Amino acid sequence: DQLPSPRSNGIMAESEDEVVKEEASAEEEIAAATIKDEDPESAAKAPEYQIWSLCDLGVTYRTVGEIDIAGQKFRAALAIDPTSVRTLSHYACFLHTACVDYRAATEMYERALEIDSYHILTLCCYADMLSARSNPMRDDVRSDAMVVLAQSKAATDSQRASVTFAQRNIQAARRRERDAVNAREDYKAKVEEDYIAYNLAKNSKGKKGKKGKKGGKSRPSTKGSAK
């Protein structure tokens, strides 16, 4: 179970956007109705299907930039089942990436891990958030521990792919942070070097000027003084 990636161009035409919204709305409306026509076993799973549908709609609306509607879908899914780890994890990721609400996201991640401490998607997404530079509750040690745990528990190709993605994302973010720190240090050192060189040149020029003035003074003439 992985979060779907946004479209490569990051922009969706208005007409296509409307189609997606209409399809999503239609999917939500007929989700329960179609189950009624199936066998009793499927009908018994109607709430589960509805939760999955609402959660997927939340992801879809998030992808097309409808943040308010996406939040409504996630909350509607949790209203049906507050213990759905899948929904909690997707909603936490939404709160982190779309709303930049680290505290609310942390609450959702923690609730998910209380229910399933080995849920791969939750571990990977939570680890990524904990390593975020802008996160006031940043915890690199715990982030690394979560990735190690997820790696040890990943049993499917999809789960292993989630772990690999999280590792690469975290490593890339930390590398960019180190590069930024090194760049600032290099710039600071260069400024200090230039300042020292400027002062040395200034002092050297001042000494030469004083020496020149001193050597250029004429001695009093003694010619004609002896008689």
Side-chain angles (χ1 to χ4, degrees), residues 188-204:
K188 181 180 177 180
K190 184 66 170 57
V191 170
E192 291 177 350
E193 289 176 4
D194 290 346
Y195 181 72
I196 292 173
Y198 168 77
N199 283 330
L200 288 174
K202 183 178 180 181
N203 292 336
S204 177

Side-chain angles (χ1 to χ4, degrees), residues 221-227:
S221 178
T222 59
K223 187 176 180 180
S225 60
K227 294 182 179 178

